[in-house]
Amino acid sequence: MTARPAQEFGDNPVEVRETGHYTEEYVPSFVEKWDSLIDWEKRTESEGNFFIDLLRKRGIRSVLDVATGTGFHSVRLLEAGFETVSADGSADMLAMAFENGMKNGDHILRVVQADWRWLNRDVHGEYDAIVCLGNSFTHLFSERDRRKALAEFYAMLKHDGILILDQRNYDAMLDRGYSSKHTYYYCGDDVKVEPEHVDEGLCRMRYDFHDGSSYYLNMFPLRKDYTRRLMSDVGFQKIDTYGDFQHTYRDEQPDFFVHVAEKE
Ligand code: SAM
């Protein structure tokens, strides 16, 4: 029997601040657990039709899900009738997404393994919308990579396309300490999610599962206005930011922000 790869953070985990490290963080055993972390039914309930309505209102037909993960949004998009392509840099995530597509409504996902920094090289076509959801953009550790990824997203959108990108409310964590109610994304009852280390350059989260296993993700704590500024710098003309799926928010309240960036 071959040993299953474990997460590898070396002797000093808080020093691991690299964009490319995500593929080593989403090891198969963590990927398998991801769906109990983001219980699909509860997530559907809490999110409602927020993204679907937003896309429909704009007459969107084709969507590129660039952070497919285990396929939650790709499956919802297909069910709602959008032409959907599902990309992710992790082959393990895509394999799970494909399986989940079959299990949830016999959907055959069109999956493409692609890192955002070279998205145009591996994914073809132009899309009405790109979605990058589930606090994924936070995996990019250098500003150069963030700009590169956003520029790649921009280039793959039609002239009037939109990018929908969400993020954890890191401002609240950095300024006031962690207080997530865990209502939105991490809905599984089976897991406790806590930050182990937070500074301006790193948020290291620990995920403790009932079976005694723990996994970690090292992420860059994006400040909301910084993300908005980057989007505007690469050319997006209008950026609306929602808090926890609502248009009005007070900065300290939401767990998550959703940015909707318009190209035209
Ligand atoms: N969107 C899914 C969800 O909401 O459940 C998955 C979210 S998971 C936090 C982040 C995903 O982004 C992972 O599947 C990971 O492989 C992918 N990812 C992170 N950095 C990436 C990169 N540079 N290029 C492509 N995919 C990346």
Side-chain angles (χ1 to χ4, degrees), residues 31 35 40 69-72 75 93-107 109:
V31 169
D35 283 335
W40 280 33
T70 55
F72 175 78
V75 169
M93 280 294 200
L94 287 176
M96 186 62 83
F98 191 83
E99 231 179 79
N100 279 334
M102 295 303 287
K103 271 200 256 167
N104 295 274
D106 269 339
H107 297 290
L109 261 60

Side-chain angles (χ1 to χ4, degrees), residues 62-64 85 123-130 156-158 161:
S62 59
V63 185
L64 173 63
V85 172
V123 183
H124 303 286
E126 273 194 330
Y127 299 83
D128 296 323
I130 291 182
M156 298 211 65
L157 285 170
K158 289 189 188 150

Side-chain angles (χ1 to χ4, degrees), residues 22 26 34 38 43 67 69 88-90 93 114-116 133-134 136 139:
Y22 71 96
Y26 292 107
W34 191 253
I38 53 158
R43 190 172 181 186
D88 198 289
S90 158
M93 280 294 200
D115 188 289
W116 307 324
L133 300 175
S136 296
H139 282 290

Side-chain angles (χ1 to χ4, degrees), residues 64-80:
L64 173 63
D65 181 356
V66 288
T68 298
T70 55
F72 175 78
H73 284 110
S74 285
V75 169
R76 289 212 68 194
L77 290 166
L78 285 166
E79 266 170 3

Side-chain angles (χ1 to χ4, degrees), residues 11 28 35 53 56 70 89 94 101 112 142-143 148 175-176 194 210 221:
D11 293 339
D35 283 335
D53 289 347
R56 282 206 179 124
T70 55
L94 287 176
V112 190
S142 72
E143 176 154 323
K148 175 88 171 91
D175 299 337
R176 292 181 281 275
E194 265 174 348
H210 265 171

Side-chain angles (χ1 to χ4, degrees), residues 211-224:
D211 63 4
S213 59
S214 297
Y215 294 86
Y216 299 84
L217 290 177
N218 278 16
M219 300 176 283
F220 179 81
L222 296 157
R223 286 194 176 269
K224 179 191 76 198

